[in-house]
Amino acid sequence: MADIIKNIKGTRDIFLNESAIWQNIESHIHSFFQKYGFNEIRTPAFENTNLFIRSIGNETDIVSKEMYSWVDQGGNKLTLKPEVTASVARSYIQNNFNKKYAINKFYYIDTLFRRERPQRGRYRQFKQFGVEVIGSKHAEQDAEVIALIYNFYKSLGVKNLNLKLNSIGSKKSRVKYKKALQDYLKPYKDKLSKVSQGRLQTNPLRILDTKIDFEIEILKSAPHIIDFISKDDSDHFNEVLSLLNHLKIQYVIDHNLVRGLDYYCKTVFEIQSDLLGAQDALCGGGRYDYLIEELGGKSSPAIGFAAGLERLILALENQDDLIKNSPDIYLISLGEDTIKFSFDIAEQLRKNNLIVIMETLRRSLKSQMKEANKLQVKHVIIIGEEEIKNQKVIIKNMDSGNQQEIAFDQIDTFFQK
Ligand code: HAM
């Protein structure tokens, strides 16, 4: 026997009920996000590696250890997209979107790749949906983006939503804060984990993300970045909070929320759900007012978020409504002479939006009936040689068990009832 080839660790096959749930959620994303005036953008699956190094930052986990990168036969350094913001920014600049509209509101559903340690809710290939709004610096844009994803989760009945917000101010305020945090942490250096000790010099803000209990304890009295931001940034943040209050969206301010990508400034946020366990972030986002300029475009403020689709599904308690209905009809055909008639009947019924399954295994009546039961179809249509002779079929209602003979030209009308 030949060896069986299995899927790659951290990837998954999605099928049957789960695939129906995905389809339902994806179509809900399209209609929900379009209601807010967002337009879909589809960017390529891979990009120049440099795009991600320049956007996300060399010292982030994503760039330093998680990207699937390779050099192609032409010597180009390429990377499978680990996130979408950088690609949208690239596309915005390349396609001169700034000249098309004063404000550009994009949304996406995309497949991404990160070589992380797989666990529940964390995969090496995963799906994100998200938005990027490029053009507005005002607080109402932050509030609209946060409200969009918050209301989206609510619309699907996701419970226990925990919205966390912080402001990390401008780049300048971060330099001052980095120094203050280093000064605070230095006396604890020996107590910190190896990873955090390394980060203390290079990227101390990342230590704030820690999940290690004794580090969380040490950080309790650390200085807050919010005390280092400018008056403008603080006014902006307060305006965002006031709009969220107006919208009755509950939040907590999390002083340790800094997010793991370098392009952020000012407002950052995450929504978590306690139903998720260790990987509890349903979505994350924030402002990135410098990125467009850093990638060679005309300076433009921007904000967005991205949300994990797999994690959303894990957080959905009641998925019954999202599972596809069972097929309407199983077309039982008996004998080779019935095949062409079955095709004609099936095609006609499908034009009327019915889900019709045709037999292609040439099984016995009993086996086909068994299959129809297994698929929980609503009706079976039986067509044999006798039925062709009489130009009639037998239609059986699988719930009631009632069956009746219906003329070929009355089948359509029967199912329109
Ligand atoms: P992120 O926090 O890296 O942000 O990812 C956003 C969301 O994607 C996470 O909250 C999580 O739900 C999901 N996610 C991330 N990694 C994985 C994984 N390995 N397996 C399953 N789900 C995962 C970004 O990607 C930014 N681009 C968000 C953004 C958009 N900021 C501004 N605009």
Side-chain angles (χ1 to χ4, degrees), residues 154-184:
K154 287 263 165 198
S155 73
L156 282 168
V158 185
K159 294 201 196 93
N160 304 47
L161 291 176
N162 181 6
L163 167 63
K164 291 179 167 184
L165 287 168
N166 197 13
S167 176
I168 58 171
S170 62
K171 268 192 200 157
K172 233 202 256 151
S173 43
R174 239 167 309 147
V175 175
K176 268 194 285 171
Y177 178 68
K178 187 173 163 183
K179 169 89 178 51
L181 186 62
Q182 277 169 331
D183 289 346
Y184 170 81

Side-chain angles (χ1 to χ4, degrees), residues 150-415:
Y150 189 86
N151 292 339
F152 175 79
Y153 287 134
K154 287 263 165 198
S155 73
L156 282 168
V158 185
K159 294 201 196 93
N160 304 47
L161 291 176
N162 181 6
L163 167 63
K164 291 179 167 184
L165 287 168
N166 197 13
S167 176
I168 58 171
S170 62
K171 268 192 200 157
K172 233 202 256 151
S173 43
R174 239 167 309 147
V175 175
K176 268 194 285 171
Y177 178 68
K178 187 173 163 183
K179 169 89 178 51
L181 186 62
Q182 277 169 331
D183 289 346
Y184 170 81
L185 286 171
K186 265 179 200 149
Y188 300 100
K189 186 173 176 193
D190 295 339
K191 293 198 177 132
L192 296 176
S193 65
K194 277 259 140 18
V195 179
S196 295
Q197 283 181 7
R199 284 178 173 159
L200 190 55
Q201 267 323 304
T202 52
N203 199 351
L205 269 69
R206 289 299 321 282
I207 301 175
L208 298 173
D209 276 343
T210 185
K211 296 253 166 25
I212 306 171
D213 285 344
F214 63 83
E215 290 190 339
I216 294 174
E217 206 47 47
I218 292 172
L219 286 167
K220 273 192 179 147
S221 317
H224 293 158
I225 196 164
I226 216 159
D227 297 327
F228 289 74
I229 66 177
S230 68
K231 174 155 187 328
D232 275 359
D233 291 347
S234 157
D235 289 348
H236 175 92
F237 192 50
N238 287 329
E239 231 180 311
V240 176
L241 300 183
S242 139
L243 286 167
L244 293 178
N245 291 337
H246 175 76
L247 294 168
K248 300 200 169 45
I249 293 178
Q250 288 188 343
Y251 56 82
V252 288
I253 294 176
D254 179 348
H255 294 294
N256 290 344
L257 182 69
V258 286
R259 308 268 304 129
L261 301 93
D262 278 1
Y263 48 61
Y264 288 115
C265 64
K266 296 168 101 177
T267 315
V268 288
F269 68 97
E270 271 183 18
I271 299 179
Q272 303 177 336
S273 161
D274 15 339
L275 296 172
L276 285 178
Q279 297 306 315
D280 59 1
L282 277 171
C283 72
R287 280 209 161 266
Y288 50 97
D289 292 348
Y290 309 109
L291 183 64
I292 302 292
E293 194 176 8
E294 280 169 4
L295 290 176
K298 185 167 171 283
S299 170
S300 181
I303 181 165
F305 71 80
L309 199 53
E310 291 86 352
R311 291 191 195 176
L312 163 60
I313 292 169
L314 287 172
L316 278 178
E317 280 180 325
N318 186 1
Q319 308 190 340
D320 292 351
D321 294 347
L322 299 171
I323 293 170
K324 220 179 10 211
N325 291 334
S326 39
D328 297 297
I329 297 160
Y330 196 98
L331 226 165
I332 293 182
S333 54
L334 302 165
E336 285 177 37
D337 293 345
T338 62
I339 293 173
K340 286 182 184 149
F341 287 92
S342 294
F343 266 108
D344 294 344
I345 295 170
E347 283 308 307
Q348 190 53 40
L349 290 170
R350 286 175 189 140
K351 278 186 194 141
N352 295 337
N353 287 328
L354 293 163
I355 303 172
V356 185
I357 316 246
M358 271 180 62
E359 170 73 7
T360 54
L361 292 177
R362 301 189 182 183
R363 286 174 290 188
S364 68
L365 173 63
K366 197 170 156 207
S367 304
Q368 291 189 53
M369 251 338 211
K370 218 162 137 193
E371 181 83 10
N373 266 318
K374 193 165 156 191
L375 293 170
Q376 295 181 314
V377 301
K378 298 174 191 104
H379 290 91
V380 294
I381 298 180
I382 303 171
I383 172 162
E385 263 133 51
E386 196 63 21
E387 281 71 34
I388 294 175
K389 223 186 287 160
N390 300 331
Q391 295 282 295
K392 281 180 178 168
V393 294
I394 297 168
I395 300 181
K396 180 171 179 176
N397 180 318
M398 298 297 273
D399 276 339
S400 65
N402 292 341
Q403 62 179 53
Q404 48 190 311
E405 278 190 341
I406 302 287
F408 275 6
D409 58 1
Q410 292 300 305
I411 301 176
D412 265 5
T413 335
F414 179 89
F415 285 105

Side-chain angles (χ1 to χ4, degrees), residues 38-93:
F38 283 73
N39 293 303
E40 192 192 18
I41 183 163
R42 298 183 189 213
T43 54
F46 59 99
E47 300 264 11
N48 278 306
T49 302
N50 247 337
L51 174 65
F52 302 114
I53 296 176
R54 277 172 60 184
S55 321
I56 304 169
N58 242 330
E59 292 185 2
T60 57
D61 281 352
I62 298 180
V63 171
S64 66
K65 52 185 188 203
E66 295 170 0
M67 294 203 302
Y68 283 96
S69 301
W70 74 102
V71 180
D72 78 359
Q73 292 83 341
N76 305 300
K77 290 187 178 152
L78 304 172
T79 295
L80 286 177
K81 259 189 318 200
E83 63 113 43
V84 192
T85 313
S87 295
V88 173
R90 188 228 5 98
S91 175
Y92 169 89
I93 297 165

